[in-house]
Amino acid sequence: WRLIDNYFPNAQWDSGWSDEGDYVVNVNGDMSFKGREVAALLQFTINPKQGKFDMNALEFDGRPQSKEMRVELIKAMCQDVQ
């Protein structure tokens, strides 16, 4: 969670179980990414049986972002924590 809290200083978390048995987490908040301020939505699922998580969606200012942008965001988050 530290990665997200570092990027989303005013993060609002919402979560719950899906019908498929995954735990779905939504994070909303303002953030700076590649030099611009955006209202971001990040959604990921946690599969407790497999012990893994997947990022399902990323939106900036209400616009869906590509899988490549999701990967770039994760890389940037990890670099900032190092």
Side-chain angles (χ1 to χ4, degrees):
W1 309 132
R2 187 173 67 159
L3 291 176
I4 293 173
D5 286 340
N6 187 47
Y7 252 76
F8 290 77
N10 64 342
Q12 296 179 353
W13 296 74
D14 181 36
S15 60
W17 291 98
S18 73
D19 292 339
E20 293 81 25
D22 294 330
Y23 197 66
V24 180
V25 179
N26 294 307
V27 182
N28 290 287
D30 297 325
M31 62 177 269
S32 177
F33 185 67
K34 294 193 175 186
R36 67 178 236 223
E37 293 293 320
V38 295
L41 166 66
L42 171 64
Q43 182 187 72
F44 59 95
T45 56
I46 300 169
N47 183 319
K49 293 177 185 172
Q50 294 181 353
K52 67 176 193 169
F53 77 94
D54 292 307
M55 186 187 298
N56 300 329
L58 174 65
E59 293 182 3
F60 291 159
D61 297 325
R63 291 187 300 275
Q65 301 298 304
S66 67
K67 182 176 182 176
E68 290 79 17
M69 183 62 81
R70 295 191 308 249
V71 170
E72 287 299 314
L73 177 61
I74 291 172
K75 286 180 184 178
M77 290 171 139
C78 291
Q79 286 177 349
D80 277 1
V81 173
Q82 294 177 355

